[in-house]
Amino acid sequence: MRARIDEIVFDCHDPALLVRFWAVLLGGAPVDRDSGWSFVDPPGSVRVAFQQVPEGKAAKNRLHLDLAAGDVEAASDEAVALGAVRLGGVVADPQGRFQVLADPEGNEFCFVQGGGE
């Protein structure tokens, strides 16, 4: 059986807050489906949804998003201005450069810039 990813869903406290943050980063329009469920459907990418859950985030994510960026520092600055937090500095390795950040609810994600960019 083969399947494709329909959407990636984040459990969260405030779906409306997170969908607006991620809509700016991913370039899609925020959609509030109901009081506990929101999503952004960025062009050419998979839909990212946010579902309200009663429990808070208690540990490091088991999954995170890597977002391609032509300029890791500029993308990180924009995300921080929207409410993200940098988790360490920019890292450079043979595969390229990346910056780890956390969204307004603490979900980790990275801006990545490949070595060939």
Side-chain angles (χ1 to χ4, degrees), residues 18-31 39-48 50 78:
L18 285 188
V19 76
R20 279 151 186 72
F21 172 85
W22 283 96
V24 172
L25 293 187
L26 299 175
V31 177
F39 67 90
V40 60
D41 198 359
S45 188
V46 66
R47 183 173 46 235
V48 179
F50 306 92
E78 180 181 1

Side-chain angles (χ1 to χ4, degrees), residues 72-73 76 87-100 110-114:
V72 169
E73 287 85 357
S76 298
L87 302 177
V90 174
V91 175
D93 64 21
Q95 294 179 328
R97 304 171 70 241
F98 67 93
Q99 169 73 62
V100 180
C110 296
F111 284 116
V112 299
Q113 182 178 0

